[in-house]
Amino acid sequence: MKVVIRMNNKFKSKGFSLIELIAVIAILGIVYAIIFQIFTTQTKIYSNEVIKNDVQNSGRLCLNSISNSIINDSNNTNRPDPNPTDTPEAFNGSNFQSKLKVSSSNGDYWYILDKSNNQLCKITTIGNKNIIANNVEDVNVSDVTISENSNNKIYKITVTIKKDNYTKVFTTEVSLRNGEGL
């Protein structure tokens, strides 16, 4: 809106011209575009950090659960079996991979990788299924022989976790000393 005031036979206008308004709108558009770009970049960074955190937590859960099972049940006469062949029947199939069998005073249980859901599960003798972690790509538990004369037994645990495009491999070793687990 322009107000025209007549002063000394000259017209003087008050207000903004169309050019000034267009310039302000253009500057505001640039500022909004920069703010939007910063916002979307921060959102992507946050999402990536959430994925990395989820992968880290899943890897730690897997390693802790398996290593605690090996340590806590190693006083039994049976050693953990990293290559079990006697998986419970309900979990025999192409979608399930048996990764570890642990015999304890409370009965046997297996760590099984459910490939259809990428879940690591702990299965009891009666078939109870406890999900340990999601996004598990692979689990490997292996015996590491120190020397034939040693009573020490070491189990190497490797867990691969994959979520979206982020993959991380976690590794730890559990040592049973002085004949524990024999």
Side-chain angles (χ1 to χ4, degrees):
M1 177 171 145
K2 289 198 171 214
V3 177
V4 178
I5 300 174
R6 188 171 180 157
M7 296 176 70
N8 298 334
N9 290 333
K10 291 186 180 177
F11 289 100
K12 182 162 182 155
S13 63
K14 287 187 175 180
F16 300 108
S17 68
L18 182 60
I19 301 282
E20 292 170 329
L21 288 175
I22 291 174
V24 168
I25 291 172
I27 291 170
L28 285 175
I30 292 170
V31 169
Y32 288 143
I34 292 170
I35 291 172
F36 180 75
Q37 185 66 31
I38 291 170
F39 177 75
T40 56
T41 302
Q42 292 301 317
T43 303
K44 287 179 186 176
I45 290 170
Y46 175 77
S47 297
N48 288 339
E49 290 303 315
V50 167
I51 289 170
K52 288 179 183 179
N53 190 31
D54 288 347
V55 166
Q56 191 77 19
N57 287 337
S58 293
R60 286 182 182 163
L61 279 170
C62 292
L63 290 181
N64 287 340
S65 181
I66 294 171
S67 60
N68 286 339
S69 294
I70 291 172
I71 291 168
N72 293 336
D73 297 327
S74 64
N75 292 327
N76 206 346
T77 56
N78 297 323
R79 287 187 183 257
D81 182 6
N83 299 307
T85 55
D86 60 340
T87 307
E89 195 161 321
F91 300 98
N92 284 333
S94 60
N95 288 337
F96 300 103
Q97 292 180 353
S98 188
K99 296 299 183 175
L100 176 69
K101 177 183 176 184
V102 179
S103 297
S104 72
S105 57
N106 297 330
D108 296 341
Y109 55 91
W110 294 260
Y111 283 93
I112 294 179
L113 182 60
D114 181 351
K115 292 298 251 179
S116 62
N117 299 321
N118 285 345
Q119 295 175 331
L120 180 64
C121 305
K122 186 176 180 179
I123 311 296
T124 63
T125 306
I126 58 174
N128 291 339
K129 178 180 175 182
N130 298 321
I131 299 172
I132 304 300
N134 293 314
N135 304 311
V136 181
E137 195 71 18
D138 191 27
V139 175
N140 187 21
V141 180
S142 58
D143 289 336
V144 179
T145 305
I146 298 174
S147 69
E148 293 185 23
N149 299 332
S150 174
N151 284 336
N152 295 350
K153 189 70 167 180
I154 296 176
Y155 293 93
K156 182 177 182 180
I157 306 165
T158 305
V159 177
T160 305
I161 308 289
K162 181 177 182 182
K163 185 171 182 181
D164 295 339
N165 292 327
Y166 185 71
T167 303
K168 185 156 175 124
V169 177
F170 299 87
T171 304
T172 191
E173 293 181 350
V174 177
S175 176
L176 305 178
R177 293 182 211 107
N178 301 327
E180 293 177 22
L182 291 176

